Amino acid sequence: MLRIYILIVVLGLVGGVVYGGYYYYKDTQARIQTLTENSAKLEQAAQTQKQTIDILIADAEKFAKLNNELQLGLVRANDYKNELISSVGLRLRSDVPIGVCLSGGLDSSTIVSILNSYYKHNDLNTFSAIYSLGDKA
């Protein structure tokens, strides 16, 4: 009878060890599967992040180039404005009153604007010509 008890105890111990080993194996396999899935997700996230950073760097370079072009255009426009103002100023050297013939376009209007804004000639004589078309129109 003692042998039967010992056999039952040994079988119980062996069964417990086998069940513990099986449980440990299944748990380890589930953890490995979870780690593999998370690793794949992490690799995809890292690749997406790298692509986003590359796009941001390319955009920053493009915007820096565009900003330089705009700054150069602004400098050129300011140089042109200053040249135009000084050119109008050179023609102000006169002993007689100054007059401007207004054509209705931007060039004559610009000259009058410069005279009023930069040289404070508020007493300008301006002239315009109006022609009727007659009976042919």
Side-chain angles (χ1 to χ4, degrees), residues 35-129:
L35 288 173
T36 303
E37 290 171 2
N38 289 343
S39 177
K41 290 177 185 176
L42 184 61
E43 287 176 11
Q44 181 64 33
Q47 186 174 358
T48 303
Q49 182 183 24
K50 184 184 179 319
Q51 290 172 350
T52 303
I53 289 170
D54 291 342
I55 290 171
L56 288 174
I57 289 171
D59 285 349
E61 291 170 355
K62 181 175 65 174
F63 291 142
K65 181 181 175 186
L66 182 61
N67 187 32
N68 288 339
E69 291 173 6
L70 290 173
Q71 289 296 329
L72 182 61
L74 183 61
V75 167
R76 287 180 182 162
N78 281 331
D79 290 345
Y80 180 79
K81 178 188 84 166
N82 293 334
E83 185 73 26
L84 180 63
I85 291 169
S86 67
S87 177
V88 169
L90 286 175
R91 278 126 184 109
L92 290 178
R93 297 177 188 160
S94 174
D95 297 347
V96 294
I98 298 171
V100 179
C101 183
L102 296 174
S103 64
L106 288 176
D107 52 352
S108 59
S109 300
T110 302
I111 292 171
V112 171
S113 174
I114 290 171
L115 289 172
N116 283 333
S117 299
Y118 292 96
Y119 295 105
K120 306 301 182 207
H121 278 277
N122 296 326
D123 57 344
L124 289 175
N125 296 314
T126 56
F127 304 95
S128 295

Side-chain angles (χ1 to χ4, degrees), residues 1-7:
M1 187 74 163
L2 182 64
R3 287 185 167 178
I4 292 177
Y5 288 130
I6 293 177
L7 181 65

